[in-house]
Amino acid sequence: MRRHAEGSPAALFELAGIRVEAGGRTLLDGITHRFAPGRICGLIGPNGSGKSTLMRLLARQAPSGSGRIRFHGEDLAAIRPREFARQVAYLPQFTPPTDGMRVEELVALGRFPWHGLLGRFGARDREKVDEALRRTGTGAFRGRAVASLSGGERQRVWLAMLLAQDAACLLLDEPTSALDIAHQIDVLSLVRALGREGGLSVIVILHDINMAARFCDDIVALGHGRIVAQGTPDAVMREDVLARIYGLRMGIHRLPGTGDVVGYPL
């Protein structure tokens, strides 16, 4: 990891003046932000606010438009694709089909950046796959067809694939969007545990502000392609800030026992 001259670690991602336009619309309008390493950051905001566009830019899945993006101090576009894939693992909102694929085969795909298309799948790769299955609690599924799993189980398997990739940064685009509340909590608890135990940096898009406040270290809220609020959950979970994010009156309540703050429309 590169460090600045004063010894502090470089930002995970550093964005300066990012602007993206498509079809006559401005999707991102001058985004400037530093994502800190080793933290779980939730991207929130209404539909169409620019969250997925920003995530795809960070994952190098879309043209960058204008502005500058650095990753650990290096120009994002200058990093070789395989080297980037060894450092950053991306889970899109809509995952590709897995027809006929077993769980172990899917998780093993995470090792591709380390041995390439024609490279040999060796002992180190097998160790990483086994470790990923163990850490996500999916070892019992390894011989099953991915299509036979429940939604929550599949999300755990996809996370196992990202872990097998051995990247230090995870980019997750709405990993809980199709899950019921129990599986949402299960998957986000796993993401938080993986971040804490493995020192991973995580940027995750979430629609539920209360889930973001519960499981994230930092929150960045977008609106109309701009950052409208940012900070820790305590800084964002305020009536005036939530009203600015969602454009409607919001109340907050601190839960007894846990101290968690939840927001609700008035």
Side-chain angles (χ1 to χ4, degrees):
M1 179 186 298
R2 292 195 173 187
R3 291 178 176 268
H4 295 300
E6 65 272 18
S8 60
L12 176 69
F13 287 97
E14 184 174 5
L15 292 76
I18 298 299
R19 183 179 178 87
V20 176
E21 297 180 348
R25 294 179 56 232
T26 299
L27 304 181
L28 295 176
D29 189 8
I31 296 288
T32 295
H33 186 71
R34 288 168 56 92
F35 290 94
R39 312 262 302 169
I40 300 175
C41 179
L43 290 181
I44 67 167
N47 291 337
S49 59
K51 303 184 298 298
S52 288
T53 300
L54 177 56
M55 183 69 82
R56 286 194 295 270
L57 287 182
L58 299 181
R60 303 210 314 189
Q61 299 295 310
S64 60
S66 60
R68 186 189 73 232
I69 303 178
R70 296 185 183 276
F71 176 70
H72 285 316
E74 297 185 48
D75 185 86
L76 187 65
I79 304 174
R80 294 180 178 179
R82 180 174 291 186
E83 178 59 29
F84 184 72
R86 289 178 174 182
Q87 300 182 67
V88 178
Y90 169 57
L91 184 64
Q93 180 181 357
F94 302 105
T95 53
T98 57
D99 298 343
M101 188 174 292
R102 292 184 298 112
V103 165
E104 187 172 14
E105 294 170 331
L106 176 60
V107 176
L109 290 179
R111 299 303 300 163
F112 177 79
W114 298 93
H115 59 68
L117 185 62
L118 301 177
R120 184 166 175 248
F121 192 88
R124 178 66 171 169
D125 299 307
R126 286 190 289 273
E127 289 174 4
K128 288 295 181 179
V129 169
D130 290 342
E131 179 184 0
L133 290 167
R134 176 185 59 78
R135 292 178 66 192
T136 55
T138 55
F141 307 145
R142 66 189 310 152
R144 289 179 55 182
V146 177
S148 73
L149 303 178
S150 70
E153 291 167 344
R154 279 197 300 273
Q155 287 301 81
R156 279 181 165 266
V157 169
W158 281 106
L159 287 173
M161 188 197 75
L162 301 191
L163 286 183
Q165 192 170 327
D166 207 21
C169 173
L170 306 184
L171 303 178
L172 312 176
D173 191 344
E174 298 191 36
T176 61
S177 61
L179 304 180
D180 61 42
I181 189 166
H183 285 101
Q184 289 180 41
I185 291 174
D186 179 60
V187 168
L188 292 176
S189 295
L190 174 60
V191 169
R192 184 171 61 181
L194 294 173
R196 297 286 189 270
E197 295 166 7
L200 299 175
S201 302
V202 181
I203 301 176
V204 54
I205 294 178
L206 296 170
H207 267 300
D208 190 328
I209 180 61
N210 294 320
M211 290 293 185
R214 178 173 177 178
F215 291 102
C216 297
D217 301 310
D218 305 303
I219 295 174
V220 173
L222 297 183
H224 302 291
R226 298 181 178 182
I227 294 178
V228 296
Q230 58 184 296
T232 63
D234 278 344
V236 173
M237 295 298 286
R238 294 167 29 197
E239 292 179 359
D240 58 329
V241 176
L242 294 180
R244 187 163 73 246
I245 295 170
Y246 294 107
L248 73 163
R249 291 181 60 217
M250 299 281 289
I252 61 170
H253 175 70
R254 190 171 295 274
L255 299 177
T258 67
D260 291 337
V261 177
V262 296
Y264 54 91
L266 294 175

